[in-house]
Amino acid sequence: MRAMIEAIAWNDEYVRILDQTRLPAEEVYLECRTIDDIAGAIKRLSIRGAPAIGIAAAMGLAFLAGRISTGNRGEFAAQAASISAHLLATRPTAVNLRWALERMAQVMHRFQGASVPELQELLKQEALRIHAEDIEINRSMGRHGQALLPDDAVVLTVCNTGSLATGGHGTALGVVRSAVENGKKVFVAACETRPLLQGARLTAWELLHDGIPFELITDSMAAVYMKTKRVDAVLAGADRVAANGDAANKIGTYALAVLARAHGIPFYIAAPLSTIDRTTASGHAIPIEERSPEEITTIAGRPVAPAGTRVWNPAFDVVPAELITGLITEKGVIPAPYTENIAAVFRRK
Ligand code: MRU
């Protein structure tokens, strides 16, 4: 398998982000140095996918905190908190953003006696740790998840859940990668994922990169695909899993879960524990990001609807827990009943 794709990398001069809005046409790397560079990259989806957004926020905070020029700890903490609040406001659904920023805030609380230069180094180390741990977590998730697939599997997936969406390897796509590494034959049916085509632009790009066989379908073909072809499992990622197992993911995932149930196909969510938000009781309480109408009314800048057309553009939907066959995590596959079983996994952690 080829070298792992790196969506984000630390550099003492800047945070390097592979601009996913330009893929697959161009492989362009952004050099983010300011709060607007980093917040803009997250908002614009130059970097996207729940774990990758968390890593970008942590690295962004560490990088910008490293440039705060005060020796006063209180002043430093106030400026770091303001950067953190700015980054937190970029995207509301992916809870990994909040999770990563909370981990960074804990560093500030834990090392009360540290000087400003020491804190700057500790924050950098924590951001790098969040990144490195995410890759390990994805690999564990992959190991657990691949065991669910037959030796010759057809997997239907949505959005992009691979190296581009994480520190590396991926969540749902990481399960596919692990199955292939384990000698299984896997064929992927990738939904294009309107409106921003993360499936067509990014998942297809990653699968080609790794030489994993696949075919691309439009989202509206999923039903007939399940009916007329073989699908062994639907694998999706998540931006936030509520305490009861309801899972928010890219718009269209709910439809796939309903279709999977109708066709008797197992439907799995692959997500790290950092995506499980036990402070959100159910999917009703998950904030759903609404994005600009132009994402629907234009394709690659060209209008595909008359000017003035009214649009509803929620970026995510929620799969009710009862449609989920299992939650693939780094600690194993969590089965229903989710409220009890999720709580038990966190107790053991
Ligand atoms: O809007 P995006 O592209 O950030 O949405 C991403 C998804 O919905 C992914 O499926 C999710 O973050 C899990 S990926 C590891």
Side-chain angles (χ1 to χ4, degrees):
M1 221 168 261
R2 289 182 54 192
M4 199 165 65
I5 297 158
E6 259 194 342
I8 185 161
W10 177 273
N11 175 321
D12 283 335
E13 301 300 313
Y14 49 82
V15 178
R16 195 184 82 151
I17 287 176
L18 172 56
D19 186 351
Q20 297 185 32
T21 66
R22 314 270 286 264
L23 288 173
E26 297 172 295
E27 210 173 307
V28 174
Y29 290 86
L30 305 174
E31 297 180 359
C32 298
R33 295 182 169 83
T34 67
I35 181 92
D36 289 339
D37 289 347
I38 291 160
I42 298 174
K43 269 193 178 161
R44 240 185 0 258
L45 313 193
S46 289
I47 184 147
R48 29 77 37 214
I53 294 172
I55 295 163
M59 277 196 189
L61 174 59
F63 180 83
L64 296 165
R67 266 123 199 102
I68 296 174
S69 55
T70 174
N72 180 295
R73 201 199 138 101
E75 171 106 348
F76 176 79
Q79 286 193 40
S82 144
I83 295 166
S84 177
H86 191 127
L87 292 172
L88 183 62
T90 50
R91 295 196 76 191
T93 305
V95 75
N96 301 62
L97 182 59
R98 188 186 81 199
W99 172 87
L101 291 169
E102 278 172 2
R103 254 183 78 161
M104 299 297 278
Q106 280 161 19
V107 169
M108 306 278 292
H109 293 307
R110 220 179 309 133
F111 297 95
Q112 289 295 337
S115 66
V116 167
E118 284 165 349
L119 279 176
Q120 288 169 320
E121 180 59 25
L122 286 164
L123 288 171
K124 172 182 158 183
Q125 293 310 326
E126 186 69 356
L128 296 179
R129 203 171 302 121
I130 288 173
H131 187 197
E133 282 175 13
D134 189 60
I135 301 173
E136 282 314 303
I137 285 168
N138 286 336
R139 290 203 169 275
S140 309
M141 235 183 317
R143 272 194 297 279
H144 293 297
Q146 69 82 28
L148 300 166
L149 299 179
D151 286 346
D152 183 357
V154 179
V155 167
L156 190 139
T157 192
V158 61
C159 197
N160 170 267
T161 59
S163 293
L164 290 169
T166 60
H169 197 67
T171 57
L173 216 53
V175 170
V176 169
R177 281 203 165 98
S178 293
V180 171
E181 283 170 9
N182 223 31
K184 293 187 178 176
K185 203 172 139 209
V186 185
F187 185 84
V188 177
C191 292
E192 64 170 354
T193 319
R194 273 286 285 154
L196 294 179
L197 304 174
Q198 286 92 331
R201 295 186 303 104
L202 308 177
T203 297
W205 188 75
E206 282 203 35
L207 290 169
L208 274 177
H209 175 277
D210 275 15
I212 297 173
F214 72 98
E215 64 193 351
L216 184 65
I217 58 172
T218 68
D219 304 333
S220 52
M221 293 169 190
V224 72
Y225 198 97
M226 289 184 195
K227 187 176 164 133
T228 58
K229 298 195 173 217
R230 196 185 100 218
V231 177
D232 297 297
V234 177
L235 295 182
D239 285 78
R240 188 182 304 220
V241 178
N244 71 343
D246 291 349
N249 191 51
K250 179 51 57 196
I251 191 74
T253 309
Y254 173 40
L256 293 178
V258 173
L259 290 173
R261 176 59 56 90
H263 291 88
I265 298 167
F267 176 96
Y268 294 102
I269 290 285
L273 295 187
S274 55
T275 302
I276 301 181
D277 177 13
R278 290 187 311 141
T279 66
T280 298
S282 76
H284 297 293
I286 298 178
I288 301 293
E289 175 182 8
E290 286 196 30
R291 296 185 59 89
S292 80
E294 290 73 35
E295 291 184 355
I296 308 270
T297 57
T298 62
I299 293 183
R302 280 169 172 260
V304 291
T309 297
R310 179 175 156 159
V311 162
W312 182 47
N313 185 16
F316 303 96
D317 55 26
V318 176
V319 180
E322 63 265 24
L323 294 180
I324 300 172
T325 313
L327 294 173
I328 303 167
T329 75
E330 68 270 34
K331 298 287 179 199
V333 181
I334 306 180
Y338 294 111
T339 305
E340 293 81 347
N341 291 343
I342 287 173
V345 168
F346 276 89
R347 265 199 309 275
R348 282 200 296 275
K349 190 174 167 250

